[in-house]
Amino acid sequence: MVMFVPDPAAPPATGAVSLEALGMGKQFGALKALDDVTLKVEAGSFHALLGENGAGKSTLVKCIMGYYTPDQGQVMVGNHEQPISSPRMAHNLGLGMVYQHFTLVPDMTVAENLVLARTDLPAVIDWKAEHAGLEAFFATMPFRVPLDRKVSALAAGEKQKTEILKQLYLKRRFLILDEPTSVLTPAEADEVLGLLRDMTKAGQLTVLTITHKFREVFAFADNVTVLRRGKFAGSGKVADLTADDMAKMMMGEQKLPDPAPRTGVPGEATRLAIQTLNVSDDAGNPAVKGISLQVRAGEILGIAGVSGNGQRELVEAIAGQRDIKDGAISLHGQSFDGSRKAMKQHKLSCLPEEPLRNACVAKMSVAENLAFRRFDEEPFAAGGWWLKPGAFKEAARQIIARYRVKTPGPEAAIGQLSGGNVQRAVLGREIGGEVNVLVAANPCFGLDFAAVADIHGQIMAARNRGAAVLLVSEDLDELFELSDRIAVMFSGRIVYEDAIGNADLTVIGRHMAGH
Amino acid sequence: MSGDLLGWWGVPLAVLAGAIRVSTPFLFVSLGECITEKSGRINLGLEGTLVMGAMSGYAVSYLSGSPWLGVLAAGCAGAVFGILHALICSLPRVNDIAVGIALMLFGIGLAFFLGKPFIQPQAPNLPSIPFGWWSENAQVRDALRVNALFIIGVILAPFLLWAFRNTRWGLILRTVGDSADAALALGYAINRVRMFATASGGFLAGVGGSFLSLSYPGSWSEGLSSGQGITAVALVIFARWNPMLCFWASLLFGGAAALGPALQSVGITQGYYLFNAAPYMLTLLIMILTCSRDRTLAGAPGELGVTR
């Protein structure tokens, strides 16, 4: 039996292959997601694809992989035109992709996931031989993941490493990565990207990576192509370009608002206090392990950490979405039970991650969603039960105008809005009024530069007005820009805490990795 | 030794015999549903499939004279129902649970309609294997007379457990059921895999139905099934989608159901109807004891849901 031939249908040739996408176009309804885009990637190069959200990067690579059928354009692999109509065909040509969402099967072990991806999967699997093959492969890799662990029990960073190892195990000749480092610590990112760069240098692999981190572009990429609003916006050798050049290509002539000024110093009074808090995750395992922290008025406490280290459970516990196992949360020195009444009394606002899922009802209108905190009081309701749609719409119009929410109108279902606009609408609802305590989790995830600057400004403004802000984020740049104090969360515990003036990127990175 | 001398020992023996007899349809339906649910779909129509299998199995056995042809026909009728369910569910915005309920009612109605001519005649029954040959005691010999389908089920359960882990089909089935994203990225046709899984599930449920009409005492009537199909669907959840646990759960359920008649046979008639409710109370009790407010069900296929 053939034991270790990952891809027999691939052309006999191995090693890096070049790829060109010529004049690609793709229309989704009224939206032109891709408009005559050309991308050329040389064999054995490390190519970065840059662009803001909605620029068409993911659409382009999904067209190349056969996930979408492009309306125009053609794909050349190794100078031969190839009609790729399904991911299977792309795999057979030696093309592989690591998607932004994980494509591992959670209920299977790492070994099962790797073997499953083989195109020549035998009818009955000889696990002994497969394990031997996997061990032999892992011996050639600089990092490894536990083979017999179920994927659902892996940390996010390990899952991402597994995705990449899976593609290498399949001996891909051209590998596409969609923001591969968003769940890795800086050191892990260097490890993974370094391995891929070495493989390109050795002529084993060509890499095309979607990213928005200039640091990684300068450290690893040879060439760069930039997209803006579905169109080609520029390309070149990384060595010939500066960060400003690339930013200009990405954004065009659009001007960024200045960073929000930080005014005043944190007050003395502790607004939010958490005392040896323990919280379980969905599987009943401890996720938050004895965390204590305090946030004062007019202070932003930033919590850094790789996703999946208990941040989500911590935020859900404070927002009243998750039961507390033991420990206590108190606001203004009073015990807080997560009820709507207590939130109102203490003016607690929450900006959870994935706001469409965690803070909105997608099928209800923008106006209704914006009134969630106050829909049963004057002026929205008479006597606490007779709702007045006119008042909903009027209040919604003000928030829509003030926070520049792009929506067909207050009547539109909030689920129709783009991610950035949902984020802005929820921000408007949560910090439009008076705020004493604000909890924000990855508030700018997936937003473009302009929206990010906008939301950072609003959070800073809330702090300057005297709110205590707990900012949980996976984006270190964001934390360094906004925080007064920074803490690092690892494996459910706070492992580091200091004023932002004393904090150092490498020290924080080390703590994020648990060292 | 005469039967009377067995005395109180007759109770566990009767429970064992009852467990084997009652559990057979549960075993087949739950193994079938286990395959279907592993692919990410729930087929609640298996009650209808079961009744349809009982009717068609009996009819074919009567017409052909071979009970095994009847079993095959019952399985094929079940597979057709499974394919029907899968076809309707592969249309956009169709909810598998609603389709299942519709097919359950359709299957029962159709079986009653087509089965009218077969209520009177006597069809050949399935054989059973006398494991009690060594005993002089009639009670023991009766209790250890094990029907052939149960033996097949006993072999099938560990085979499925092995197949889920060690075969290409098993891995693909679990992939499709646990993460549609992963299946798409690997290039598997999700609807086709689910069609296969639902058809296999329907086949097994149909075979389970043929047991009802073709095993001792062996007759077809409209009151044949008392909700075994629906209960078996619940058993799969109870068994955490593990075929071997499906087997033990079916036995437990069958044993509990046999408790009432067993006690009656030694003269305890008090609370007879209460004992008949034992399997349901047992299920409820175990469900309550094993569930938890802050934990999701371990082992549940990720694509299984009611919100599609």
Side-chain angles (χ1 to χ4, degrees):
Chain A
M1 191 170 58
V2 184
M3 261 164 37
F4 192 62
V5 182
D7 213 342
T14 54
V17 70
S18 69
L19 184 137
E20 293 178 33
L22 305 170
M24 304 288 278
K26 177 78 188 168
Q27 187 114 11
F28 292 111
L31 176 79
K32 217 166 189 154
L34 270 188
D35 187 3
D36 193 26
V37 170
T38 291
L39 167 79
K40 294 184 179 181
V41 186
E42 289 163 35
S45 69
F46 196 117
H47 199 107
L49 183 59
L50 287 171
E52 295 206 273
N53 266 79
K57 299 165 304 208
S58 290
T59 311
L60 175 62
V61 294
K62 282 181 176 168
C63 282
I64 293 174
M65 283 302 292
Y67 220 85
Y68 295 148
T69 315
D71 301 333
Q72 288 107 40
Q74 54 195 6
V75 176
M76 315 266 288
V77 180
N79 295 325
H80 297 290
E81 187 182 338
Q82 297 286 358
I84 300 173
S85 59
S86 75
R88 269 243 136 135
M89 290 178 75
H91 296 163
N92 288 341
L93 291 166
L95 273 52
M97 175 160 174
V98 174
Y99 296 89
Q100 206 170 9
H101 55 260
F102 292 117
T103 57
L104 299 169
V105 184
D107 198 40
M108 289 189 188
T109 64
V110 170
E112 282 177 316
N113 266 287
L114 289 171
V115 169
L116 176 72
R118 290 175 43 175
T119 39
D120 63 334
L121 198 60
V124 174
I125 295 151
D126 179 358
W127 279 113
K128 227 175 185 174
E130 295 293 344
H131 269 274
L134 285 169
E135 288 294 345
F137 165 73
F138 271 45
T140 64
M141 289 291 130
F143 52 84
R144 59 178 302 150
V145 278
L147 272 176
D148 292 318
R149 184 96 49 91
K150 270 195 183 177
V151 165
S152 56
L154 294 180
E158 284 177 308
K159 282 186 201 165
Q160 186 67 297
K161 285 182 180 174
T162 308
E163 292 273 8
I164 291 167
L165 286 172
K166 181 171 92 182
Q167 297 300 326
L168 300 178
Y169 173 66
L170 296 172
K171 295 229 164 69
R172 301 290 195 215
R173 307 173 64 198
F174 187 96
L175 184 56
I176 301 172
L177 305 148
D178 195 350
E179 304 212 4
T181 59
S182 55
V183 295
L184 302 178
T185 66
E188 283 177 316
D190 289 350
E191 191 177 43
V192 169
L193 294 177
L195 165 70
L196 294 176
R197 187 195 46 195
D198 292 345
M199 292 181 73
T200 60
K201 289 254 187 294
Q204 297 168 308
L205 186 69
T206 311
V207 172
L208 173 64
T209 177
I210 294 178
T211 181
H212 59 259
K213 293 180 181 162
F214 286 153
R215 186 187 77 85
E216 291 170 3
V217 174
F218 284 110
F220 298 102
D222 304 312
N223 302 297
V224 59
T225 295
V226 183
L227 301 186
R228 184 170 71 238
R229 298 203 184 123
K231 294 198 171 101
F232 175 83
S235 67
K237 278 195 177 340
V238 172
D240 303 337
L241 293 168
T242 66
D244 273 354
D245 296 334
M246 291 183 207
K248 214 169 267 169
M249 284 188 215
M250 286 167 75
M251 301 183 52
E253 292 310 312
Q254 186 185 44
K255 278 282 279 179
L256 271 189
D258 293 325
R262 184 187 303 269
T263 57
V265 290
E268 284 305 311
T270 296
R271 283 271 172 84
L272 168 67
I274 292 171
Q275 200 59 48
T276 52
L277 185 72
N278 284 294
V279 180
S280 302
D281 66 11
D282 288 341
N285 304 316
V288 173
K289 302 166 190 161
I291 280 188
S292 298
L293 45 86
Q294 282 94 35
V295 192
R296 290 172 293 165
E299 179 187 48
I300 298 180
L301 170 62
I303 307 249
V306 179
S307 105
N309 276 293
Q311 299 99 314
R312 191 164 66 86
E313 287 80 4
L314 172 66
V315 169
E316 284 177 350
I318 301 173
Q321 290 178 307
R322 188 174 283 276
D323 286 345
I324 290 171
K325 235 173 125 207
D326 52 57
I329 298 172
S330 53
L331 296 174
H332 300 106
Q334 292 176 27
S335 166
F336 172 65
D337 59 2
S339 68
R340 190 158 179 260
K341 192 172 150 221
M343 287 187 196
K344 204 172 278 181
Q345 184 200 337
H346 294 290
K347 298 195 171 62
L348 169 78
S349 284
C350 224
L351 206 58
E353 59 184 6
E354 291 184 68
L356 192 59
R357 200 171 68 88
N358 284 317
C360 297
V361 178
K363 284 179 182 158
M364 286 169 84
S365 74
V366 173
E368 285 165 334
N369 271 283
L370 288 179
F372 277 175
R373 291 268 183 206
R374 300 193 295 142
F375 74 96
D376 54 351
E377 14 177 293
E378 292 289 349
F380 297 106
W385 64 277
W386 183 261
L387 303 183
K388 298 188 229 167
F392 280 64
K393 267 180 258 175
E394 186 45 42
R397 276 196 199 96
Q398 286 178 18
I399 295 181
I400 288 168
R402 196 167 143 208
Y403 291 88
R404 295 188 293 281
V405 181
K406 275 187 216 136
T407 162
E411 295 288 327
I414 201 162
Q416 294 175 6
L417 273 53
S418 75
N421 285 309
V422 173
Q423 192 75 286
R424 268 198 285 259
V426 173
L427 187 77
R429 174 180 87 200
E430 296 294 318
I431 68 175
E434 205 183 327
V435 183
N436 284 337
V437 179
L438 171 66
V439 179
N442 293 311
C444 299
F445 186 79
L447 301 187
D448 60 33
F449 286 148
V452 168
D454 204 24
I455 286 172
H456 284 177
Q458 300 287 357
I459 291 175
M460 187 58 88
R463 172 220 177 255
N464 292 344
R465 288 200 299 271
V469 181
L470 183 70
L471 172 67
V472 177
S473 177
E474 286 152 35
D475 182 346
L476 286 174
D477 295 335
E478 173 173 85
L479 290 167
F480 273 88
E481 181 188 334
L482 294 177
S483 305
D484 294 286
R485 246 179 335 131
I486 190 163
V488 176
M489 201 161 163
F490 175 77
S491 181
R493 296 192 173 85
I494 297 286
V495 291
Y496 171 90
E497 192 180 332
D498 208 341
I500 197 75
N502 305 330
D504 174 77
L505 188 62
T506 52
V507 175
I508 286 179
R510 233 175 32 233
H511 281 102
M512 281 166 69
H515 296 304
Chain B
M1 245 195 335
S2 80
D4 294 76
L5 283 177
L6 217 51
W8 276 91
W9 284 106
V11 175
L13 196 65
V15 168
L16 176 74
I20 290 172
R21 193 180 63 248
V22 180
S23 71
T24 307
F26 286 129
L27 180 58
F28 276 89
V29 180
S30 63
L31 288 180
E33 182 69 4
C34 191
I35 298 175
T36 307
E37 292 195 14
K38 278 271 182 195
S39 81
R41 258 199 205 132
I42 294 178
N43 183 1
L44 276 188
L46 290 188
E47 174 71 21
T49 312
L50 184 86
V51 177
M52 197 60 203
M55 191 284 293
S56 50
Y58 194 77
V60 170
S61 169
Y62 170 68
L63 295 174
S64 72
S66 158
W68 289 108
L69 266 184
V71 171
L72 188 68
C76 291
V80 169
F81 264 71
I83 290 171
L84 194 61
H85 182 274
L87 278 180
I88 300 173
C89 287
S90 58
L91 300 171
R93 276 175 296 145
V94 170
N95 181 292
D96 51 351
I97 291 178
V99 173
I101 292 172
L103 281 180
M104 171 168 86
L105 299 173
F106 176 62
I108 295 173
L110 190 67
F112 288 178
F113 174 71
L114 295 176
K116 280 271 185 271
F118 300 103
I119 292 180
Q120 277 304 324
Q122 181 59 48
N125 280 347
L126 284 168
S128 49
I129 298 159
F131 281 108
W133 53 267
W134 45 269
S135 174
E136 307 259 303
N137 187 297
Q139 238 176 318
V140 172
R141 278 209 306 274
D142 257 6
L144 294 181
R145 186 178 288 277
V146 177
N147 68 82
L149 275 179
F150 180 78
I151 309 282
I152 295 176
V154 168
I155 298 165
L156 196 60
F159 171 76
L160 280 180
L161 185 68
W162 174 84
F164 283 153
R165 288 178 187 162
N166 292 291
T167 66
R168 179 171 64 213
W169 266 105
L171 286 187
I172 293 174
L173 187 74
R174 285 165 62 204
T175 306
V176 167
D178 207 34
S179 167
D181 271 344
L184 277 178
L186 290 167
Y188 292 120
I190 292 176
N191 274 329
R192 211 175 328 146
V193 174
R194 288 188 177 154
M195 162 97 71
F196 174 83
T198 318
S200 325
F203 185 92
L204 290 182
V207 170
S210 73
F211 172 84
L212 287 180
S213 59
L214 289 179
S215 189
Y216 176 82
S219 68
W220 155 250
S221 75
E222 294 178 359
L224 204 57
S225 165
S226 50
Q228 280 101 324
I230 282 291
T231 313
V233 174
L235 276 186
V236 177
I237 300 171
F238 177 58
R240 301 287 185 265
W241 296 272
N242 178 325
M244 269 324 276
L245 291 182
C246 282
F247 170 71
W248 293 118
S250 299
L251 265 189
L252 183 71
F253 211 81
L259 194 59
L263 286 175
Q264 200 183 26
S265 72
V266 291
I268 299 178
T269 48
Q270 231 169 6
Y272 176 68
Y273 291 100
L274 199 63
F275 281 118
N276 278 351
Y280 309 100
M281 293 197 297
L282 191 70
T283 312
L284 209 58
L285 194 71
I286 297 182
M287 283 296 210
I288 292 168
L289 290 178
T290 55
C291 81
S292 159
R293 180 175 143 75
D294 48 26
R295 200 180 324 146
T296 47
L297 272 183
E303 291 291 315
L304 222 50
V306 291
T307 54
R308 229 167 322 140

